[in-house]
Amino acid sequence: KGKYQTMHPIQKLFGYASTYKRDFRLASLYSVLNKFFDILPEVLIGAAVDVVVKGEQSFLARNILGAVGITNTWHQLLALGVFNVLVWGGESLFQYLYELKWRQLAQDIQHDLRLDTYRHVQKLEMAYFENQRTGNLMAILNDDINQMERFLNGGANQIIQVFCSSIMVSAVFFALQPGIALVALLPVPLILFGTFWFQQRLAPRYAEVREASGDVSARLNNNLLGLATIKAFATETFEADHIAQASNAYRTANARAIRFSAAITPVIRMAILSGFTATLLYGGWLTLHGELAVGAYSVLVFLTQRLLWPLTGLAEVADMYQRSVAAIDRAMKLLDTPIAIPYEGQHFPIDTAQGELRFEHVGFAYDATPTLQDIDITIPAGKTTAFVGSTGSGKSTLVKLLLRFYTAQQGRILLDGQPIDGLNLQDLRRAVGYVSQDTFLTDGTVAENIAYGAAGASDAQIAEAARAAECTEFITKLPLGFATRIGERGQKLSGGQRQRIALARAILKNPPVLILDEATSAVDNETEAAIQRSLDVVSQGRTTIVIAHRLSTVRQADCIYLLEGGRIVESGTHDELVARNGGYAALWRLQTGVRMP
């Protein structure tokens, strides 16, 4: 099991944030000291009443101020005034300190948890994402972690202060009148029991809320990415109904939780009412019969409210706590997801790499049906090798295994004689330049996208890579040239322009192995010709793997492999395969319309 799997969510959080133990202690100390000074004004009110009523025979004159010669009634009040200023100053100071510390702590842990979780997600194998929705992951990385921050911002302090005020006020009660203390504290067990009873029933409801929130995010993310298709098929109303269903499920889950959470405060208020009324009447009766001083009665009445009223905050805290528990649990489970393909391994010297690849009896299946079977080939260093075949024949899977997006289930793959399973994953991927059909571009400038993965590249190097990929002509026509921002996923560029930017990026990376996975399948003939010219240049002396449907793209390859049903059925040069008059020749005739003699 993972590190956090068997822990309670709050334990998971504090276990994760163990480096902040000192900050937690300081924040807690400031909360306790603030509550100490917060309770003292009620004591001062009682002392002031006692001074006014008894004068020089007051409790202060006889037990505290009398020791330094202050017995005059006015002087006693002046001393109380000075002490009152100090108390309010102390309360304000520690309120500032605890708010500062708790909020900073919340921000720090939120920042660390979001980054650590995101870094962990990046390391998960591609198979994990096949069963996950991007929007749900975004909800965890954003909404759930924000929910944890809200709890630390206020909830943790409230829990500490309610606990401390109960202890401090109870101590004053028992010191002044144990009988009233028992009456006043009688509702507290009922309040605590009610709070925990509600909390236990809120837990599954808030877990449903977080899941429903993830569903809404997933649907919104999916639809926003596919907005062009939605518009093209005029399905706006259909998709709006889908969003409405997800949003309604979220609203319904929230309503179930709210019905319980809204009942907590009224129940606690009734319990508080009973305790406050009992103190008011019983304490008044004792005072009227001379068994309790007027000042002490004032203190007890005020402190009863000070003791019991903060307990109404337990409703809000319990609600916030339970929301946070559900959110923290989702975030920690994601952080605890095991990494199936480890990043550590033997370092691979890219600068001296030759780029020879060897597939030894490689087999792989996504499910019960094999995708690749007994692939046993050698790709010489510096040569161009192509893989062709129908959709689903396993061409792209070969590339995914080479990049270790997945791990081969049978056999092994070697780079320069070294099994890639034992290589450092970052080194392996830095040794491979990858250009796919679905080009990923960031919402940055043209230059930033070309230099993606090649930190520190100079303007001259970026320009040279653009020239090699035949990008320069259209880049110079952009409003700001290389400094032009191209929008999210490069939406301000055409498909062919995005593909050339991706090729320039791979060229700038200057890897020993270059892979083009259907890189020209979605571009026009002119763009394909431009990319082909670029490839003829950059593939010289570099191991190049081309995955293609268009056989015109691979005519010049040193070796072409035809895959069917996950197996290699033919191999050779273009001319050899055409002359063989097999499956490759049939594909060639189909695409070109050339009749074979």
Side-chain angles (χ1 to χ4, degrees):
K1 290 186 176 181
K3 180 180 179 181
Y4 302 112
Q5 280 188 2
T6 58
M7 297 183 185
H8 184 274
I10 295 298
Q11 284 181 298
K12 295 177 185 179
L13 178 63
F14 287 122
Y16 168 79
S18 59
T19 54
Y20 293 99
K21 282 182 180 178
R22 182 175 179 275
D23 294 296
F24 274 114
R25 292 191 188 104
L26 278 176
S28 301
L29 176 62
Y30 295 150
S31 294
V32 171
L33 291 174
N34 168 261
K35 182 50 61 178
F36 172 74
F37 282 103
D38 183 49
I39 288 172
L40 287 181
E42 276 71 16
V43 178
L44 293 180
I45 290 172
V49 171
D50 191 54
V51 168
V52 171
V53 173
K54 294 185 177 180
E56 295 185 359
Q57 297 303 311
S58 69
F59 177 82
L60 288 177
R62 287 184 289 107
N63 295 282
I64 299 175
L65 296 178
V68 292
I70 299 177
T71 56
N72 179 273
T73 301
W74 176 242
H75 290 167
Q76 289 183 63
L77 290 175
L78 287 177
L80 282 175
V82 172
F83 191 59
N84 184 59
V85 171
L86 294 175
V87 167
W88 281 75
E91 181 188 359
S92 300
L93 171 65
F94 287 111
Q95 181 175 359
Y96 168 76
L97 290 176
Y98 86 63
E99 287 193 358
L100 185 68
K101 184 58 73 174
W102 279 117
R103 290 184 180 183
Q104 187 60 53
L105 192 57
Q107 291 297 319
D108 289 342
I109 294 176
Q110 175 200 44
H111 173 75
D112 289 352
L113 182 57
R114 179 173 286 119
L115 285 184
D116 287 348
T117 307
Y118 174 72
R119 289 188 181 113
H120 186 83
V121 167
Q122 286 190 124
K123 293 180 179 180
L124 296 174
E125 71 284 4
M126 296 302 293
Y128 173 82
F129 298 97
E130 293 172 0
N131 300 314
Q132 299 292 326
R133 290 179 295 177
T134 304
N136 191 49
L137 293 175
M138 289 175 63
I140 295 174
L141 291 169
N142 191 33
D143 294 345
D144 289 352
I145 291 177
N146 287 346
Q147 187 67 48
M148 178 276 301
E149 176 214 2
R150 286 190 284 272
F151 172 70
L152 286 180
N153 267 342
N157 171 70
Q158 284 181 270
I159 291 173
I160 291 171
Q161 293 206 329
V162 166
F163 179 75
C164 290
S165 65
S166 300
I167 293 177
M168 293 175 185
V169 172
S170 299
V172 175
F173 264 68
F174 280 104
L176 294 177
Q177 179 50 257
I180 293 182
L182 292 174
V183 172
L185 293 174
L186 200 59
V188 173
L190 178 62
I191 292 171
L192 294 177
F193 173 79
T195 301
F196 287 115
W197 186 86
F198 276 108
Q199 177 197 323
Q200 288 176 354
R201 280 149 186 80
L202 276 172
R205 287 170 170 79
Y206 278 132
E208 290 177 10
V209 169
R210 298 318 309 161
E211 290 298 326
S213 173
D215 288 343
V216 173
S217 295
R219 285 187 181 271
L220 286 171
N221 179 72
N222 183 70
N223 285 15
L224 290 174
L225 290 175
L227 202 54
T229 302
I230 291 171
K231 288 178 177 291
F233 282 83
T235 55
E236 289 93 339
T237 302
F238 177 77
E239 291 300 343
D241 289 343
H242 272 181
I243 298 299
Q245 290 171 12
S247 183
N248 189 58
Y250 176 61
R251 180 176 64 176
T252 303
N254 254 318
R256 285 196 291 266
I258 289 169
R259 278 196 291 271
F260 263 82
S261 65
I264 302 177
T265 299
V267 170
I268 291 177
R269 281 177 184 269
M270 292 301 100
I272 290 171
L273 173 64
S274 63
F276 184 76
T277 302
T279 302
L280 187 72
L281 296 177
Y282 182 49
W285 187 87
L286 291 176
T287 304
L288 289 173
H289 288 77
E291 296 182 29
L292 184 65
V294 175
Y297 175 59
S298 302
V299 171
L300 291 176
V301 170
F302 281 117
L303 284 181
T304 301
Q305 184 182 24
R306 177 64 70 179
L307 168 66
L308 298 178
W309 190 250
L311 294 176
T312 60
L314 283 177
E316 180 184 352
V317 172
D319 186 74
M320 186 187 305
Y321 170 82
Q322 208 55 62
R323 286 178 182 269
S324 299
V325 163
I328 291 167
D329 196 42
R330 277 164 44 96
M332 287 297 178
K333 282 180 178 176
L334 180 55
L335 185 62
D336 210 30
T337 304
I339 297 171
I341 302 177
Y343 269 55
E344 296 75 19
Q346 180 182 342
H347 282 289
F348 183 74
I350 300 171
D351 294 339
T352 59
Q354 300 299 309
E356 181 191 65
L357 292 167
R358 171 73 183 155
F359 291 78
E360 293 183 345
H361 305 288
V362 170
F364 181 80
Y366 292 103
D367 46 40
T369 305
T371 304
L372 292 174
Q373 302 180 65
D374 197 31
I375 303 298
D376 191 65
I377 59 173
T378 297
I379 299 176
K383 299 296 183 180
T384 298
T385 301
F387 293 92
V388 298
S390 59
T391 300
S393 59
K395 304 183 300 298
S396 294
T397 301
L398 278 172
V399 171
K400 293 174 182 177
L401 294 179
L402 175 58
L403 287 165
R404 294 207 70 203
F405 292 164
Y406 301 88
T407 298
Q409 294 155 352
Q410 292 93 37
R412 61 177 186 167
I413 304 172
L414 296 90
L415 174 58
D416 286 349
Q418 300 184 57
I420 62 171
D421 289 2
L423 297 180
N424 179 278
L425 200 53
Q426 295 287 65
D427 286 352
L428 170 66
R429 290 172 179 168
R430 289 190 183 104
V432 179
Y434 181 53
V435 182
S436 68
Q437 178 182 358
D438 183 20
T439 302
F440 171 74
L441 298 179
T442 67
D443 183 15
T445 66
V446 172
E448 288 169 348
N449 274 279
I450 293 176
Y452 190 77
S458 67
D459 291 344
Q461 290 173 319
I462 293 170
E464 176 58 26
R467 186 199 62 74
E470 297 199 14
C471 298
T472 308
E473 182 180 352
F474 79 79
I475 291 175
T476 54
K477 293 178 181 178
L478 295 174
L480 299 175
F482 282 91
T484 302
R485 298 189 71 87
I486 60 175
E488 188 176 21
R489 301 184 67 85
Q491 59 187 352
K492 294 182 181 180
L493 302 178
S494 70
Q497 289 170 339
R498 289 196 295 269
Q499 207 67 47
R500 292 195 221 182
I501 293 289
L503 180 58
R505 181 165 62 192
I507 292 170
L508 181 60
K509 188 179 179 182
N510 193 29
V513 178
L514 178 63
I515 297 174
L516 288 97
D517 187 2
E518 302 285 7
T520 62
S521 63
V523 300
D524 54 46
N525 291 333
E526 181 183 349
T527 302
E528 181 186 4
I531 292 175
Q532 192 61 55
R533 289 194 298 271
S534 300
L535 283 178
D536 291 341
V537 175
V538 301
S539 62
Q540 296 299 317
R542 189 194 312 272
T543 305
T544 306
I545 297 175
V546 182
I547 308 291
H549 274 104
R550 292 184 184 178
L551 301 187
S552 58
T553 307
V554 302
R555 287 187 62 178
Q556 306 305 318
D558 296 297
C559 186
I560 302 171
Y561 291 97
L562 174 65
L563 276 77
E564 289 182 6
R567 294 182 181 275
I568 294 176
V569 294
E570 291 181 20
S571 64
T573 64
H574 171 77
D575 292 337
E576 289 170 351
L577 291 172
V578 169
R580 193 173 299 168
N581 199 20
Y584 181 89
L587 284 175
W588 178 252
R589 291 196 299 272
L590 182 65
Q591 293 186 14
T592 62
V594 175
R595 291 181 177 274
M596 299 299 292

